[in-house]
C-alpha cells in the first residue's frame, strides 16, 4: 500500500481533453524531465493512493501537459480523475533526486501576489489566493476592495512575466462585469 510519505506532489488533473480519456494536467515546471524514472503517476482515489501507468503525454505549455493512462479510455473513466492531485512515487528516484523535487515544490510559484492585466479592462488587481478545489482553477483577485474570481484557464492567459509578476489575460466579454460591480459600491 502506498502512503503519502512515499509521494512527491507534481501537479493536478484539470479537465478532460477529447473523447479518448486524455486529460489536461497542470504540473510543476520541468518536472517531467525525469518521467523515464517513473512509468506511473499516483492519484488519490477516495483516500487510497492508486498508481496509473502513463500511456502517453505531451506538453501543451511548460506547465501543462496532455496525458493518457493505461485503462483510462473513455470520458466517463477520465472524468473520475479530474480535480485530483498527481504524485511521483519517491521509490522511483534516488534520495538525492527526491530531495530536489521537495525543494522544487517549496520554491514553486503559485502566482499569489501577481497582478492580473486584462487586454480589455487593464489592471484588475493582485491575486490574493488560488482556488484549486474544483476542476476549474480560479484566481481570487482583489479589485477595489472586493474579490473577483477569474478562471485560470490556459486559453485566457496571453503572457506570464515572472520578472514583473504580472499575468496578461484576454478574458471573454461578459465573464466579469466591472462596471456593475463598481456601481454597486458607489
Amino acid at each position: 500500500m502506498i502512503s503519502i510519505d512515499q509521494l512527491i506532489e507534481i501537479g493536478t488533473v484539470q479537465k478532460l481533453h477529447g473523447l479518448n480519456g486524455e486529460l489536461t494536467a497542470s504540473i510543476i515546471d520541468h518536472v517531467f524531465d525525469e518521467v523515464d524514472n517513473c512509468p506511473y503517476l499516483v492519484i488519490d482515489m477516495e483516500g487510497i493512493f492508486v498508481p496509473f501507468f502513463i500511456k502517453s503525454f505531451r506538453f501543451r505549455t511548460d506547465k501543462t501537459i496532455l496525458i493518457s493512462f493505461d485503462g483510462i479510455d473513455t470520458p466517463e473513466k477520465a472524468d473520475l480523475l479530474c480535480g485530483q492531485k498527481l504524485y511521483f512515487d519517491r521509490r522511483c528516484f534516488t534520495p538525492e533526486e527526491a530531495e530536489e523535487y521537495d525543494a522544487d515544490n517549496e520554491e514553486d510559484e503559485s502566482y499569489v501576489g501577481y497582478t492580473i492585466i486584462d487586454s480589455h479592462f487593464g489592471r484588475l488587481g493582485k491575486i490574493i489566493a488560488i482556488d484549486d478545489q474544483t476542476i476549474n482553477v480560479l484566481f481570487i483577485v482583489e479589485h477595489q476592495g472586493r474579490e473577483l474570481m477569474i478562471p485560470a484557464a490556459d486559453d485566457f492567459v496571453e503572457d506570464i512575466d515572472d520578472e514583473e509578476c504580472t499575468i496578461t489575460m484576454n478574458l471573454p466579454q461578459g465573464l466579469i462585469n466591472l462596471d456593475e460591480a463598481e456601481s454597486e459600491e458607489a
Side-chain angles (χ1 to χ4, degrees):
M1 184 169 211
I2 301 172
S3 71
I4 190 70
D5 296 340
Q6 293 172 260
L7 302 176
I8 301 167
E9 185 178 334
I10 61 156
T12 304
V13 177
Q14 297 297 324
K15 61 185 176 181
L16 182 65
H17 181 83
L19 300 174
N20 297 321
E22 190 172 42
L23 295 157
T24 301
S26 61
I27 57 166
I28 296 168
D29 193 19
H30 76 272
V31 74
F32 266 72
D33 293 346
E34 303 296 330
V35 75
D36 293 336
N37 291 355
C38 200
Y40 60 91
L41 295 179
V42 177
I43 299 176
D44 181 355
M45 300 298 294
E46 298 181 14
I48 300 172
F49 295 104
V50 179
F52 287 86
F53 285 84
I54 300 168
K55 183 175 174 182
S56 67
F57 76 92
R58 63 186 193 271
F59 287 90
R60 190 166 185 200
T61 69
D62 62 341
K63 292 189 179 188
T64 306
I65 59 168
L66 298 175
I67 190 165
S68 297
F69 295 107
D70 287 341
I72 305 297
D73 53 7
T74 66
E76 294 78 19
K77 289 178 183 177
D79 195 45
L80 296 173
L81 305 180
C82 291
Q84 302 299 323
K85 294 199 182 300
L86 294 171
Y87 301 91
F88 271 148
D89 188 329
R90 288 179 181 278
R91 295 174 292 184
C92 295
F93 302 95
T94 66
E96 293 79 21
E97 289 170 329
E99 283 180 30
E100 282 181 41
Y101 280 107
D102 288 339
D104 285 346
N105 279 340
E106 289 171 11
E107 295 170 9
D108 183 37
E109 54 195 330
S110 68
Y111 300 120
V112 171
Y114 277 54
T115 299
I116 297 288
I117 302 169
D118 180 66
S119 57
H120 176 70
F121 291 110
R123 288 189 182 273
L124 295 178
K126 287 197 183 290
I127 299 172
I128 57 172
I130 296 176
D131 181 354
D132 63 356
Q133 300 302 310
T134 63
I135 293 171
N136 299 317
V137 177
L138 299 171
F139 292 137
I140 310 301
V141 176
E142 184 175 349
H143 175 77
Q144 297 181 351
R146 65 184 285 271
E147 292 181 0
L148 298 176
M149 292 187 201
I150 299 174
D154 289 336
D155 295 343
F156 300 152
V157 175
E158 290 183 340
D159 183 55
I160 298 174
D161 186 334
D162 291 319
E163 287 182 24
E164 295 293 321
C165 294
T166 60
I167 300 175
T168 304
M169 303 183 82
N170 185 2
L171 298 170
Q173 294 290 336
L175 183 66
I176 56 173
N177 191 343
L178 296 180
D179 297 330
E180 186 176 294
E182 289 165 2
S183 65
E184 287 176 9
E185 292 176 5

